[in-house]
Amino acid sequence: MDEEAVSYLSSLRDDEEILLEDIEGTQAHVIMLYEQGIISGDEARQILRALEELKGEAAEGKIELRGGFEDVHELIESYIISRVGREVGGKVHSGRSRNDQVALDIRLRVRRYLLEIWREALSLGRALLSRAEEEKEAMIIHYTHLQHAQVGYISHYLLAHLDHLLRDLERLEACYHRVNKSPLGACAIAGSTLPLNRNRVAELLGFDGLVENSVDAVSSRDFALEAVAVAAIMMTNLSRVAEDLIIWSSSEFGYVELPDELASPSSVMPHKKNPCILELLRAKSGKIIGLLTSLLTIMKGTPTGYNRDLQEAKTLIWEALKEARDSAKILTKVVQGIRFREERILERVEESYAPAIELAEALMIHAKLSLRDAHKLVGALVRQLHDEEKSLKDLDYKTLEDVSEKVLGKRVNLPEEDLRKAINPKEATKARKTAGASTPNEIARVLEERRESLEKTAEGFEINLKKLLRSREKFEETIFMLIR
Ligand code: ARG
């Protein structure tokens, strides 16, 4: 091939991510070829030995992905041939195509990424849970439209994001099982006349089963699209947490303070403490959405079967999954280290009009007003207090009576005790009766339940990880038995 053409189409550099996967996938294929009588024990031994050496060098970072190769698959095959000769090494690719080979490598690599993201998301979940536990008593304002909405608790905010994350974890787990299937043995697209044992390869590599249909096996990348989509959705959630914390760390809000070791100084302004990590997380979530869009667009027009377009998808997949993993990891540190300035937040809570809704509901419950009348009356009260530069907690019984006479044409009959409770933020939250509300009782219940949900997904993670480790042990044992 023309040198420039090879350099244009070569994926060699992007294949660094799947170097190990390609070596191991090839080893599994070779073991199966031997077990099926397609190559001899001696041939298998020679090839496996060469691959073991290559694996060792790869693990030490000694392999340079260079030369005029189109990809890592060519490079490895030519390495084997250079080590054991063409007569033996030339058999390694029997019954295999680069099409099923690269699909296998991508599945192996995405599987590994998903486990890493799973682990980091679990840590983040634990951090959110333990901060929610710590902040159980601390109040905050819940915002809508970024305006004071209702008063509540920091822990309720944190638990909301834990619930987001638990759904991310559910999506991740489901995706993991769809990824963890072996495409190898599909050959170029329609199978092989050699007596390959596809299930054996799947077993050796710790897959749960096969991507059965050979056309599907080489054509599909939906497993990777799904993984990136899961990552993009998770990142969208994380990005909103980042955004909240960025706003809350501004001088105007001053609700949170980043630990020094997670904040960036300015090169010129000595007083600065910039939330750069969170800004980058916000940006990276945008980037991952872009990567997902690129991937979907690359895929949508390719005819069924392998097309070289699919090669261009690989780096996008690595990049998206790596960024998602690292983002979950760094956000865990932020969540663990961030300080909520509870006193300052409480000042904002106490001067807020946010308990207005509880006051309106008290008027409905105790003074038997309709929602509309209560809404009208409390709206007028808030306007008057606002004009007098007072907060809701300054509302006295006389003002309530006067204003109600004015706007409703009657005196409301709200016991003074109920008025006092309704405009006191803490009392107001305690009076909430709905499931899932920002009230101490519900928060305490939810904390316990979510602890269990987290442990359940942690169990799922451990089970899958152990399964892989066990099959890896067996795989290595099998190689060892064949090469000794
Ligand atoms: N480098 C290619 C990729 O990453 C490998 C598959 C090439 N297959 C082919 N038939 N040219 O997708």
Side-chain angles (χ1 to χ4, degrees), residues 9-12 15 18 70-73 97-99 102 106 221 306-312 314:
L9 65 71
S10 174
S11 70
L12 203 49
D15 289 345
I18 48 170
E70 281 192 32
D71 47 40
V72 72
H73 322 299
S97 140
R98 280 188 293 166
N99 302 348
V102 73
I106 298 174
R221 293 292 183 272
Y306 178 84
N307 303 271
R308 201 58 179 264
D309 313 48
L310 302 195
Q311 172 174 298
E312 203 66 13
K314 285 188 297 188

Side-chain angles (χ1 to χ4, degrees), residues 381-437:
L381 284 166
V382 168
R383 170 167 302 241
Q384 177 159 331
L385 291 165
H386 178 72
D387 290 345
E388 293 168 1
E389 294 188 5
K390 287 181 179 165
S391 43
L392 192 61
K393 68 174 185 330
D394 303 322
L395 176 64
D396 53 47
Y397 205 77
K398 171 109 187 16
T399 312
L400 174 66
E401 281 184 335
D402 291 351
V403 175
S404 86
E405 194 116 28
K406 213 166 17 175
V407 301
L408 300 179
K410 63 177 178 192
R411 283 193 177 192
V412 291
N413 207 354
L414 180 68
E416 195 152 0
E417 166 74 359
D418 293 319
L419 169 66
R420 199 190 51 71
K421 274 191 183 165
I423 59 177
N424 174 308
K426 201 159 233 157
E427 299 284 343
T429 61
K430 277 191 193 148
R432 290 184 189 140
K433 294 191 174 58
T434 45

Side-chain angles (χ1 to χ4, degrees), residues 57-326:
E57 287 173 38
E60 287 168 30
K62 281 192 190 149
I63 305 295
E64 289 211 16
L65 294 178
R66 265 201 260 151
F69 300 106
E70 281 192 32
D71 47 40
V72 72
H73 322 299
E74 268 193 13
L75 178 137
I76 291 178
E77 187 175 346
S78 95
Y79 172 88
I80 296 168
I81 290 174
S82 76
R83 298 301 300 263
V84 305
R86 196 174 178 82
E87 200 157 315
V88 175
K91 293 187 176 179
V92 73
H93 206 50
S94 310
R96 191 173 66 161
S97 140
R98 280 188 293 166
N99 302 348
D100 57 347
Q101 186 177 1
V102 73
L104 176 86
D105 294 355
I106 298 174
R107 281 180 184 267
L108 286 170
R109 187 67 188 97
V110 169
R111 180 176 78 179
R112 189 141 64 91
Y113 269 124
L114 286 180
L115 280 173
E116 289 168 1
I117 298 174
W118 199 341
R119 169 181 286 146
E120 297 310 332
L122 275 173
S123 302
L124 178 57
R126 292 197 173 110
L128 285 167
L129 190 83
S130 83
R131 288 313 302 266
E133 181 97 283
E134 272 171 47
E135 304 295 337
K136 225 162 34 191
E137 309 279 305
M139 296 197 76
I140 199 165
I141 295 157
H142 297 302
Y143 292 83
T144 66
H145 311 270
L146 205 55
Q147 306 281 335
H148 287 197
Q150 288 185 269
V151 293
Y153 293 85
I154 293 174
S155 53
H156 197 60
Y157 167 84
L158 294 167
L159 288 170
H161 285 289
L162 176 59
D163 280 358
H164 268 91
L165 192 67
L166 282 166
R167 289 192 294 275
D168 289 323
L169 282 160
E170 279 177 25
R171 279 186 279 269
L172 201 134
E173 184 164 2
C175 175
Y176 179 87
H177 293 299
R178 277 187 279 275
V179 168
N180 197 24
K181 300 260 190 275
S182 173
L184 209 75
C187 204
I189 187 163
S192 169
T193 58
L194 298 176
L196 307 175
N197 183 348
R198 297 189 64 193
N199 284 310
R200 177 60 176 147
V201 172
E203 186 193 10
L204 283 165
L205 295 171
F207 285 109
D208 285 336
L210 300 180
V211 188
E212 196 172 33
N213 183 303
S214 62
V215 176
D216 181 22
V218 295
S219 303
S220 61
R221 293 292 183 272
D222 60 319
F223 69 92
L225 299 184
E226 186 182 356
V228 174
V230 166
I233 294 171
M234 181 186 84
M235 284 297 286
T236 309
N237 294 337
L238 304 192
S239 180
R240 295 181 74 186
V241 178
E243 171 68 357
D244 288 337
L245 297 180
I246 290 166
I247 294 173
W248 290 353
S249 68
S250 67
S251 309
E252 283 66 24
F253 268 87
Y255 280 10
V256 297
E257 191 177 357
L258 276 172
D260 286 355
E261 61 275 18
L262 298 177
S264 303
S266 152
S267 63
V268 61
M269 295 167 282
H271 66 286
K272 283 284 245 174
K273 199 171 171 185
N274 293 327
C276 293
I277 285 177
L278 297 169
E279 291 163 334
L280 278 165
L281 193 154
R282 193 171 55 182
K284 284 172 194 287
S285 73
K287 185 168 77 178
I288 294 183
I289 293 165
L291 291 168
L292 175 61
T293 309
S294 300
L295 281 167
L296 293 165
T297 316
I298 287 173
M299 289 309 296
K300 75 170 183 60
T302 55
T304 302
Y306 178 84
N307 303 271
R308 201 58 179 264
D309 313 48
L310 302 195
Q311 172 174 298
E312 203 66 13
K314 285 188 297 188
T315 42
L316 310 181
I317 301 167
W318 316 148
E319 169 113 31
L321 299 181
K322 183 174 124 338
E323 294 284 25
R325 175 198 66 197
D326 296 349

